[in-house]
Structures are given as structure tokens and as C-alpha cells.
Amino acid sequence: MLMDMDGKDLKDFVKKASELNGYAVGLRRELHAHPELEHELPFTEGVIVRELEKLNLDGLRPGMGRGHGVCADLVGTRPGKVLALRADMDALPVREETGLPYASSNGCMHACGHDAHVAMLLTAARLLAESRSGLAGTVRFLFQPAEETVEGAPSMIESGALEGVDAIVGLHTGSIWEGLEPGQIGWRVGPMMASTTTIRVELQGRGGHGATPHLTVDPIVMAAEVVSQLQTLVSRELSPFEPAVVTFGKISGGRAHNVIADTCELFGTMRCFNTETDAFLKERITATVEGVAASMRGRGTVTFSGYLPPVVNDEAITLRMRDILRTTLGEGSEHEVARPSSGAEDFAEYLRKVPGAFFYHCSTFGDERDHPHHNSRFDVNESVLWTGAAAMAAFALLWQD
Ligand SMILES: [Zn+2]
Ligand SMILES: [Zn+2]
């Protein structure tokens, strides 16, 4: 066991991990050049299977989660619990503009760093396969499609990815989180990422000539009023200490400048960090839309869809990771993240079933090469990929001791 190991063995583990950075970089570039979307990931699946086959694992299951997800188990030499380590595999419909020699040319792009996630988890698998004699229990490597559409995690759960699993850990690399140094792991107990719900508002008026508004019920004016009113929910009705977001990103209604439309639709998203706030906002959005529309002689209906719960980290698992990082990668390798992110992650679906924690892996450059996630110039600092792999591998080796 690593915990029983002296400083030299610990140093050897870290040295081995850092020497595998080139392996991680090679895989990341191969995947980066061949991005695939949603559930259609045959190339990505092929790379994962090719690499896992070299490791002599105890069960390799490709074809999961609607076709291209992969699970593989590594059984240790002592009895123990089952830990799943998760990486997402999918890219985005973004045309790449990084100019990198291994840039994608197929019109899609790994603009969220999921190529690095796959590379880091394959590297962790290799590290762990070489340390099998020190492993208790089982590690399940879980490669998931379609995170960006938040359909991948449920599809993997449906095909049995969590069967027998006692805990799950995952991480997201990149630049979303402030205050982290390249290579550092960010952690937080409790809420880590927001819930998300899609909002659709339909406003029914009565169309007519733009010159005679008094003979119509104008849904465009209604929409303007509804949007303004809904912006007061977070600012006036929620506690200032309860973070939430209500954003309307799309309004669609009307076809000509002088015609009053019959209907107008609004599409938005809401983000928060607990089910009470989610329920409160849903109730108040519905009441506000119905009330405003009625007061303007129209009718408003609201539908909510695509709910994804918040990512809420288990305290014991999160703090265990912090302690393991301090012992293995040293003081300064971890950092407590001050605030959760208002982004959402379908990792939350796993946490509905088993305890676990989601971590941040900082892979910024600290210069002009840093761009936001989903940007056509997004890139990750490859020199620190090994720390993400080492963090997952060290956790798998030590979490039960
Ligand atoms: Zn993303
Ligand atoms: Zn992502």
C-alpha cells in the first residue's frame, strides 16, 4: 500500500506519473485531431479500447451508453470497494481556430477539454495497472459520451456502468475556475456546479395590423414585460446569499415590422444549487408569466424541461482527495475553490446514485493562449496533464486505507 510506503516509494509514484505526461499528450493530440459529437464516437471509442487492451484489465466493455461508451475494471490484489473514475469523451460543433498543428479539420472541436479528460484517465489506468499489487478493491474506468448534451451519463447508467460501484470521482480540466495554478486540483465540499433547467414560455395574444394596436393583444409587448419581471425574481425574491441565475437567451415572435403577431416564445435557462430554490423559481416563474400575460389580456404558459441536478460533493470523499493530494503531489497541489461554478455537469446524474466528488484540474497557460471553454481558440496546457492522471490514480490507491 502506498500509505505504508516510505518517501522513496511515494517519490517513485510521482516520478512515474510525471514521466507519463508524454503519453498523455500524445493521446490528447490524437483525440484532438479527431473530435466527435454526442453519442457518435467510434474513433474515440477505438482509441480508448486500443489503449485499455494493452493493460490486461479484468473486463472491457465497449459499446455502452447508446453505442460508444466504454467501461473497464481493474481488480486489485486485496478485497475492497469499487471506485469509478469518469471521463467524458465528446467534442462540440465549433469550427477550430487555434492554428495548432494537430487542430481538427472536420468542423467540430474539442473546445471543452474532454480530449484531455480521456487522455488523463487512460494515463491513470496505465499508472494503476502498473501498481496493481498495491490496489485494494476494484477501479472502474468509465468513459462517457454526450456530456455536452447532458444525455451521456444517464445512458451509461442505463447500460449498467454503476452496477456494484461504491463511489465515483471525476474532474474537469481547463480555465473556468479562478485562483488555481496550472496543474493544481481544485476541490470544494458541497455544491460544486449548478443545476440547470430549460424554460420555455409561450405567450398567446391576438394578431392584427401594427397601426391599430387597440384591436389586438400584442405578445411582443407582453414578452418585454415578462422578461423584465422575471429578472426581479433573483434580485428581489431570493436571498442575496442564495446564488441563482435566470437567463433568457432566445425570443422568437413576429414576422414583419407592421404586423402584430399572435404569439411569442421565450427560451431560457435557470441555474441554482439546491432543489428548494429550483422549486421556488419554477413556481414563481409560472405565476409571474401567467399573471403578467393575464394583466395584458393574453395567456402565458410555461414548460420546464431538461432538468439536471446540481453537482454536490460528498464531504468525506472530497476531504480524502485533499489529504491524498497533500501526501502524494505535495502541499500546493490542491486548492479549495471559494465558490461553485454556475455551469452544469451531467456528472450530477452519477451522484444521484452513488456518493462521489467532482474536481477541477487547472490547465491554463497564464498568457494570451488562455480562452474560454467552448471558444474556437480554446486550448489546454498539456504540460500539466500528468497531475490530473496522478490525482485520480493516487486516490484510487489510497482512498480506502
Ligand atoms: Zn463544455
Ligand atoms: Zn466540459
Side-chain angles (χ1 to χ4, degrees), residues 88 90 92 111-114 147-148 172 176 344-345 373-374:
D88 43 9
D90 56 321
L92 286 155
C112 202
H114 300 183
E147 193 287 321
E148 296 290 358
H172 206 303
I176 301 171
E345 241 292 338
H373 286 247
H374 296 200

Side-chain angles (χ1 to χ4, degrees), residues 54 61 80 164 171 204 274:
K54 296 176 188 166
R61 285 181 287 167
L171 52 78
Q204 180 71 51
N274 61 63

Side-chain angles (χ1 to χ4, degrees), residues 165-179:
V165 169
D166 297 298
I168 186 163
V169 161
L171 52 78
H172 206 303
T173 197
S175 58
I176 301 171
W177 305 280
E178 298 157 28

Side-chain angles (χ1 to χ4, degrees), residues 248-304:
F248 281 90
K250 184 179 171 189
I251 298 189
S252 123
R255 294 186 64 194
H257 73 285
N258 59 351
V259 177
I260 290 172
D262 275 315
T263 61
C264 183
E265 279 184 308
L266 316 176
F267 299 89
T269 182
M270 55 186 252
R271 308 287 169 109
C272 58
F273 294 91
N274 61 63
T275 46
E276 292 78 34
T277 306
D278 183 76
F280 172 79
L281 284 173
K282 278 178 180 160
E283 186 199 316
R284 292 296 300 137
I285 287 171
T286 305
T288 304
V289 169
E290 289 174 357
V292 169
S295 76
M296 299 175 83
R297 300 177 299 152
R299 200 159 38 97
T301 42
V302 185
T303 40
F304 300 101

Side-chain angles (χ1 to χ4, degrees), residues 155-238:
S155 77
M156 289 300 283
I157 294 168
E158 253 167 56
S159 52
L162 286 187
E163 270 162 29
V165 169
D166 297 298
I168 186 163
V169 161
L171 52 78
H172 206 303
T173 197
S175 58
I176 301 171
W177 305 280
E178 298 157 28
L180 295 181
E181 299 291 323
Q184 250 180 355
I185 306 293
W187 57 271
R188 192 173 195 281
V189 172
M192 188 67 161
M193 299 190 78
S195 72
T196 175
T197 301
T198 304
I199 314 162
R200 178 171 174 268
V201 174
E202 198 185 342
L203 299 169
Q204 180 71 51
R206 193 173 64 245
H209 201 294
T212 55
H214 58 294
L215 302 176
T216 74
V217 175
D218 189 343
I220 303 281
V221 179
M222 223 183 287
E225 200 64 28
V226 161
V227 170
S228 304
Q229 280 296 315
L230 291 179
Q231 288 313 306
T232 66
L233 293 183
V234 172
S235 69
R236 304 290 85 185
E237 296 194 29
L238 274 185

